Amino acid sequence: MKATATTVLLTVTGPDKPGVTSAIFAALTRHGVNLLDVEQVVIRGRLTLGVLVSCKDDPEALQESVEQAAATVGMNVHVEVGADHSAAHAIPTHVVVVLGRPVTARAFTAVARKLAEVGANIETIRGVADYPVTGLEMQVTAAGASVRSDADLRSALAEVAAREGVDIAVERGGLARRAKRLIVFDVDSTLIQGEVIEMLAARAGKEAEVRAVTESAMRGEIDFAESLHQRVAVLAGLPASIIDEVGAEITLTPGARTTIRTLRRLGYHCGVVSGGFRQVIDGLAHELELDFVEANTLEIVDGVLTGRVVGTVVDRAEKALALRRFAAQAGVGLEQTVAVGDGANDIDMLSTAGLGVAFNAKPALREVADAALNYPFLDAVLFVLGITRDEVEAADALDGGVRRVPIPE
């Protein structure tokens, strides 16, 4: 008579050290088991190893061997004989990333509870960052009746994010997430701090006036092209030399340099699409080694700003068209693109991209974005993409090291 195999689930826990896995599997080898599933995770030096096997020998003898092996390496083991392995692995449909400073147990409980309410099951959880924010990534299977679309899941979790003071990003899991190859950033108040037009207007003593128009345009209250012409008009008569002065004063958003450097290492094409001015940001684009740049061009006659722009105005619609052009030039599909911005004039661009990220954005943009980030660190975009802080720092160390700078509370 053919022997009937018994399934056995082994869960080994204890301090991580060399030799644990080899000791456990040496014991399994002596009993000629077949492996059905293996998973191992280490959290702050504590190891959890799960092994599901099919055993034709006496399972009690197997259990005794594994317990002895675990004892030799100072580990604990729990053995479950007859563990069910009939259910196939669920393939996660979505990735949910929770970011906070900090992420409290209360906030995470609220996220988990909401996922359960809409019929989404958490398959795996891992930490992706501990600096400058804490990041937790969940692979989830959303198959409940309450989740008819990605927007349903995003809307449900947005309520939790607002209530608990955390950022939550939702995107499709699987190959589509790992296939992103082009990322495009807005410039003012996204890649850099502040608005270039306001810095230019300050030279004309019109900063407050221009800021009011800028804020109205970013909220979507007035047409962007109209607002641009209004703001540029105040620059008429200023010497073109102020362009270089303002360019030298540009300050990158915290984490921007790390973000671009890391993405380029991973083979991403990186670009900017700005409602600002090409003459101001060209130097920055060269410094960051960006692949694509699209921005407005200030008209200069005899070394003086005329208060006009020349060529096509880079407005809300043009930003989306620029993203399409960049994707075509890079040879990637739109589903492989990421767009990051902060204002209403970024709505079309974020809606066109495979993943749209609102960064410290106005409400109009947050409503259409796949992810809304509200902490002032641009490298949080990396965590949304599944790139961990440890991976970033390991890559930096290979290039000579980049020192962490403490962030004041």
Side-chain angles (χ1 to χ4, degrees), residues 8-63:
V8 180
L9 176 62
L10 313 168
T11 306
V12 181
T13 59
D16 187 32
K17 66 186 74 170
V20 172
T21 302
S22 62
I24 298 300
F25 277 84
L28 295 175
T29 299
R30 290 193 291 273
H31 290 268
V33 303
N34 293 324
L35 296 179
L36 301 177
D37 198 3
V38 180
E39 189 160 344
Q40 177 174 307
V41 64
V42 178
I43 302 177
R44 295 295 188 265
R46 298 288 297 182
L47 177 146
T48 298
L49 168 64
V51 185
L52 182 66
V53 303
S54 173
C55 174
K56 292 182 180 180
D57 289 348
D58 178 5
E60 292 186 1
L62 172 63
Q63 177 174 349

Side-chain angles (χ1 to χ4, degrees), residues 187-189 192-203 210 214 231 235 242-243 246-247 249-251 274-281 284 298:
V187 176
D188 293 1
S189 299
I192 68 171
Q193 298 182 61
E195 299 283 329
V196 167
I197 184 61
E198 294 173 13
M199 297 168 69
L200 292 168
R203 267 60 179 183
V210 166
T214 299
R231 289 175 291 167
L235 306 179
I242 68 167
I243 292 174
V246 168
E249 295 175 3
I250 288 176
T251 301
S274 176
F277 309 107
R278 184 75 185 247
Q279 294 103 318
V280 178
I281 65 176
L284 179 64
L298 291 167

Side-chain angles (χ1 to χ4, degrees), residues 265 391-402:
R265 283 171 175 160
E391 289 170 334
V392 172
E393 294 189 349
D396 285 340
L398 292 175
D399 283 351
V402 176

Side-chain angles (χ1 to χ4, degrees), residues 74-316:
M75 305 295 284
N76 300 313
V77 62
H78 174 76
V79 180
E80 180 184 346
V81 178
D84 179 23
H85 73 286
S86 59
H89 275 298
I91 300 176
T93 59
H94 294 78
V95 176
V96 177
V97 179
V98 182
L99 303 172
R101 193 163 175 250
V103 176
T104 64
R106 168 181 163 167
F108 195 77
T109 299
V111 174
R113 182 177 294 122
K114 179 58 68 174
L115 287 170
E117 287 177 3
V118 300
N121 186 56
I122 301 173
E123 305 294 341
T124 65
I125 305 173
R126 68 164 182 159
V128 292
D130 62 357
Y131 169 91
V133 294
T134 298
L136 300 173
E137 177 191 277
M138 291 175 282
Q139 301 274 346
V140 307
T141 303
S146 298
V147 183
R148 293 181 298 274
S149 68
D150 294 357
D152 289 337
L153 183 57
R154 197 169 291 119
S155 176
L157 292 174
E159 298 174 8
V160 178
R163 185 172 68 248
E164 300 297 335
V166 293
D167 291 345
I168 300 179
V170 178
E171 58 181 305
R172 278 279 165 180
L175 291 176
R177 186 187 190 215
R178 300 197 295 272
K180 300 293 189 294
R181 285 296 174 266
L182 168 66
I183 187 164
V184 174
F185 297 89
D186 172 47
V187 176
D188 293 1
S189 299
T190 300
L191 190 64
I192 68 171
Q193 298 182 61
E195 299 283 329
V196 167
I197 184 61
E198 294 173 13
M199 297 168 69
L200 292 168
R203 267 60 179 183
K206 302 285 188 177
E207 184 178 7
E209 174 186 326
V210 166
R211 180 180 296 117
V213 178
T214 299
E215 291 176 352
S216 180
M218 291 300 99
R219 291 191 298 267
E221 296 171 351
I222 61 175
D223 175 73
F224 178 82
E226 176 187 344
S227 74
L228 178 69
H229 294 308
Q230 289 181 20
R231 289 175 291 167
V232 172
V234 307
L235 306 179
L238 292 176
S241 59
I242 68 167
I243 292 174
D244 292 335
E245 295 174 12
V246 168
E249 295 175 3
I250 288 176
T251 301
L252 286 168
T253 297
R257 199 177 299 277
T258 295
T259 301
I260 298 295
R261 180 176 64 242
T262 301
L263 291 171
R264 288 187 57 79
R265 283 171 175 160
L266 291 171
Y268 275 71
H269 300 279
C270 301
V272 292
V273 179
S274 176
F277 309 107
R278 184 75 185 247
Q279 294 103 318
V280 178
I281 65 176
D282 267 349
L284 179 64
H286 178 74
E287 177 187 346
L288 295 177
E289 300 182 41
L290 299 179
D291 301 294
F292 305 107
V293 181
E294 185 70 67
N296 292 300
T297 301
L298 291 167
E299 184 180 61
I300 301 172
V301 176
D302 296 330
V304 175
L305 298 180
T306 66
R308 295 186 295 270
V309 293
V310 295
T312 301
V313 171
V314 180
D315 57 8
R316 171 172 163 172

